[in-house]
Amino acid sequence: MIPDCSVDLAPTNPRELRLRNPVIAASGCFGYGIEYSGVIDVQRLGAFVSKGITPRARAGNPMPRITETPAGMLNAIGLQNPGIRGFVRKYPRLWEQWEVPAIVNISAEAVEDYAMMARILDEQPGIAAIEVNVSCPNVAQGGFCFGWDPEMSADVTRAVRAATSLPLIVKLSPGAIDLAEVALAVEAAGADAISMINTLVGMTIDVRSRRPVLANLTGGLSGPAIRPIAVRMVYQVAAAVRVPVIGMGGIMTLDDALEFFLAGASAVQVGTAIFTQPGVLIRLIDQIVAWLERNGFDALSTIVGMAQPTSPRTHARNLASARTAAG
Amino acid sequence: MVELDLMPEIEGDLVVAREVDCELIRVESVMGDAVLLTLTAPDAVVTQLRAGQFLDVLCRLPGFFDPLLRRPYSVYRVDTTGSTLTLLVRPFGRGSAWLASRPVGTVLNVLGPLGNRFEITPRSNNLLLVAGGVGAAPLVMLAHDAVQRGLNVTFLMGAADVSGLLPTAELPGPVEYQTATDNGTMGHHGFVTELVTDYLVWADQVFACGPEAMFLSLRRVVQANRPGTKPTVQVSVERDMACGLGACLGCVVETRAGLRTSCVQGPIYDMEEVIWE
């Protein structure tokens, strides 16, 4: 029997977010889906997440925007996108004809802008869910990142929740002091699922020019270099919340994806690996199914969180030590 | 706020590329420390490749993830009868150093064909090709195409010294080949762009590939010396890139028409369209 790899990432939302398989192309790494449709069978994916959409069109950052790092890369694209209105003129109509669930990633610098975008998306066809990027500066709070603070993350979540009945995923920022606390706050504010982690802020300096390599100075670090951090954070958050967790951070291979499932992720997002091997998405889907079958599991859900301790006492102790280590 | 053209054309930008494993079957030293790498490739890739297009090569063995990103290489030559293609690689950084030192028999993962192409307009008879260093790669393929179509080609090549020049035998017989070296060890003593002036009345189109400084110099020479608005100049602009498919927007070039990805909407641009810094 073929193992059941389907997953509902919004089990308490009547609109559901049911995926045929747990492999999702991550935001910023898959364009609007169309870019890859001549290279891989996009319709086979569990889902894909669009580039980050903002209230108004953005030209993005000056070049250079990307640079390679050891087993990773830094990017500072600067959310180049056509803005929510430009976006809805084009993509919902296209995605409506597609089988694969399309998730829209939204970013803003004010709570009411997040809500405004969610209201617009709520009326659009072809959209399966919204992923809220809280790793943005909150202009009303002097540019302090929404995602670093449980209250501010909850404010955004609550506002988006009130503006739409679409399944709502909140994408956590690894810069938060206590990620489990942020996760609990967004869960209480109405998030259907949590995706994590966003990139880590990094910098490289060109020793010849004696200046930072990226024009933006800093960029988001992604790729295998960040994977152990991401696995630790998913492990920690999955233990704390009831909503499904979507794990990501440097997944390149089957074993990488399995680490996230065992840590407690119900699904995974794959980002940077797509840049290096677009075919990895389809290979992962096939490999996950084959692995489950080979190991005698009849459903993916059986292994979700398997690496978490079974006894509540060990569980609490491990969680506490995970937090201490984080500090 | 200005209206920004940030919307990729859904139909126009649909890239049909393949991720294929290619065997390295020949390695030849050329132009100093550079190498010509000849790979076997599926017909579906080889027959689709046009001069100016590039391939994205994974510069690591399976199971390793460093260097992480693919490296773009303009195609130097294709052999459709033998189903092979050739890349020109100079060891600059970690990726190219790895690639340039691969032994025959290595299997390389290649994504392509990618990017747009040099466009020879139907009325052009005389083509001026201007190459700086390993920027010669796409122009060699273009020279072969143009000669096959019966067009006249002059190939100007610049390098730091004689060892960096393309050997004459690499170009088809009918091509007029002129060289320039920074130290005067062969050909014109100076920049390759100083040779361009003499050809601006003759040439219907100019095609160039090389470092950005060469483009700036070429632009000055062309604008100051061409008889009117012709010849037009197409340049192949190099940018660090990640996805190669227009998705990540890491490699954009600022043009009069807005931001254009150098992986899908480039790497070939009309020189006048690019907003040079």
Side-chain angles (χ1 to χ4, degrees):
Chain A
M1 201 184 86
I2 296 168
D4 179 13
C5 275
S6 69
V7 54
D8 185 357
L9 294 175
T12 60
N13 186 319
R15 289 176 77 165
E16 297 189 333
L17 181 54
R18 192 163 283 285
L19 274 46
R20 281 191 302 179
N21 67 68
V23 178
I24 304 169
S27 181
C29 303
F30 206 62
Y32 301 92
I34 187 74
E35 291 86 345
Y36 280 89
S37 62
V39 184
I40 63 164
D41 184 357
V42 171
Q43 307 307 322
R44 277 205 60 198
L45 300 179
F48 71 90
V49 188
S50 76
K51 281 191 81 76
I53 305 299
T54 54
R56 280 158 290 279
R58 282 172 62 108
N61 289 327
M63 295 287 287
R65 293 174 170 189
I66 54 171
T67 187
E68 194 176 68
T69 60
M73 65 179 285
L74 285 172
N75 89 81
I77 306 300
L79 294 170
Q80 177 182 336
N81 82 98
I84 186 73
R85 289 181 181 82
F87 165 82
V88 298
R89 276 203 299 273
K90 196 164 193 177
Y91 296 104
R93 284 201 310 272
L94 171 72
W95 294 344
E96 197 182 6
Q97 301 157 31
W98 288 9
E99 212 177 315
V100 59
I103 300 169
V104 181
N105 181 288
I106 58 171
S107 294
E109 295 181 343
V111 172
E112 48 284 16
D113 280 343
Y114 278 106
M116 176 271 282
M117 287 194 283
R119 264 194 303 278
I120 292 173
L121 292 172
D122 190 65
E123 298 162 357
Q124 297 295 320
I127 293 170
I130 294 175
E131 181 180 69
V132 177
N133 173 18
V134 290
S135 303
C136 305
N138 182 352
V139 168
Q141 295 295 325
F144 192 82
C145 176
F146 285 103
W148 295 349
D149 179 72
E151 280 310 306
M152 277 159 51
S153 300
D155 287 347
V156 173
T157 307
R158 213 174 291 114
V160 173
R161 178 74 294 160
T164 179
S165 61
L166 279 167
L168 167 57
I169 304 164
V170 178
K171 184 173 184 176
L172 302 188
S173 163
I177 291 163
D178 186 338
L179 209 51
E181 200 187 331
V182 178
L184 287 166
V186 302
E187 179 183 50
D192 289 307
I194 284 164
S195 59
M196 57 187 291
I197 58 174
N198 209 322
T199 55
L200 291 134
V201 182
M203 177 189 279
T204 52
I205 293 172
D206 180 344
V207 293
R208 271 163 299 188
S209 71
R210 301 172 193 177
R211 298 284 307 151
V213 173
L214 296 175
N216 186 57
L217 310 183
T218 62
L221 182 64
S222 66
I226 71 165
R227 196 176 60 244
I229 300 172
V231 171
R232 185 267 294 177
M233 288 179 167
V234 166
Y235 187 91
Q236 178 186 346
V237 166
V241 299
R242 288 172 186 280
V243 294
V245 173
I246 305 165
M248 81 189 94
I251 295 175
M252 307 294 284
T253 67
L254 169 66
D255 281 8
D256 301 344
L258 292 174
E259 278 198 57
F260 281 92
F261 294 129
L262 295 170
S266 300
V268 291
Q269 288 190 15
V270 179
T272 304
I274 305 171
F275 295 157
T276 75
Q277 294 197 270
V280 73
L281 294 165
I282 306 299
R283 278 197 295 276
L284 281 174
I285 297 167
D286 294 338
Q287 288 170 347
I288 290 166
V289 174
W291 185 89
L292 290 169
E293 198 166 19
R294 213 165 49 241
N295 287 275
F297 296 111
D298 54 12
L300 174 69
S301 55
T302 317
I303 70 158
V304 170
M306 212 176 233
Q308 298 274 355
T310 41
S311 105
R313 244 180 78 202
T314 4
H315 190 155
R317 195 179 61 221
N318 284 9
L319 196 59
S321 84
R323 283 190 181 172
T324 314
Chain B
M1 191 175 171
V2 285
E3 188 63 28
L4 295 163
D5 177 17
L6 302 170
M7 309 269 282
E9 289 302 320
I10 287 179
E11 298 303 329
D13 284 358
L14 184 60
V15 178
V16 179
R18 282 160 204 268
E19 188 185 332
V20 291
D21 285 333
C22 299
E23 190 185 345
L24 179 59
I25 57 164
R26 194 164 63 243
V27 180
E28 303 155 81
S29 283
V30 70
M31 296 166 63
D33 57 353
V35 287
L36 288 171
L37 303 180
T38 299
L39 316 174
T40 58
D43 281 341
V45 173
V46 176
T47 59
Q48 295 303 309
L49 278 166
R50 297 291 177 268
Q53 289 195 295
F54 67 94
L55 298 171
D56 238 351
V57 184
L58 209 55
C59 295
R60 48 179 159 87
L61 293 171
F64 290 81
F65 299 106
D66 194 64
L68 185 68
L69 300 173
R70 289 172 184 272
R71 298 296 193 268
Y73 288 97
S74 296
V75 177
Y76 177 89
R77 193 167 62 215
V78 293
D79 175 1
T80 49
T81 52
S83 289
T84 65
L85 54 87
T86 302
L87 306 175
L88 172 59
V89 179
R90 164 158 291 160
F92 274 124
R94 292 188 308 153
S96 54
W98 182 89
L99 191 57
S101 61
R102 281 317 89 194
V104 165
T106 306
V107 174
L108 295 167
N109 186 276
V110 166
L111 178 69
L114 299 173
N116 63 357
R117 54 191 69 173
F118 288 122
E119 298 286 351
I120 302 174
T121 57
R123 286 186 188 170
S124 288
N125 287 313
N126 304 329
L127 309 185
L128 180 66
L129 279 47
V130 185
V134 284
L139 299 173
V140 170
M141 182 162 167
L142 181 67
H144 282 278
D145 277 8
V147 166
Q148 208 157 40
R149 292 200 218 176
L151 306 175
N152 305 313
V153 177
T154 295
F155 197 109
L156 307 181
M157 167 91 205
D161 60 56
V162 61
S163 70
L165 292 170
L166 189 72
T168 315
E170 290 297 316
L171 292 168
V175 170
E176 180 190 339
Y177 185 40
Q178 299 289 340
T179 60
T181 49
D182 297 351
N183 64 0
T185 44
M186 190 172 171
H188 172 69
H189 186 173
F191 294 129
V192 65
T193 47
E194 290 157 10
L195 297 171
V196 167
T197 312
D198 292 347
Y199 295 90
L200 290 178
V201 175
W202 169 82
D204 297 309
Q205 281 184 280
V206 180
F207 301 91
C209 186
E212 195 132 326
M214 186 189 94
F215 294 147
L216 297 177
S217 159
L218 177 67
R219 182 162 169 261
R220 278 194 301 275
V221 170
V222 169
Q223 289 181 342
N225 297 291
R226 67 181 165 187
T229 54
K230 296 259 169 89
T232 57
V233 184
Q234 288 172 32
V235 293
S236 177
V237 178
E238 190 182 350
R239 287 279 187 271
D240 282 349
M241 53 179 71
C243 72
L245 294 164
C248 73
L249 306 180
C251 67
V252 294
V253 169
E254 199 177 355
T255 72
R256 291 181 198 283
L259 296 170
R260 290 287 178 267
T261 56
S262 70
C263 59
V264 172
Q265 296 162 315
I268 315 299
Y269 298 87
D270 185 319
M271 188 181 69
E272 308 291 338
E273 282 293 302
V274 176
I275 297 169
W276 302 98
E277 282 158 30

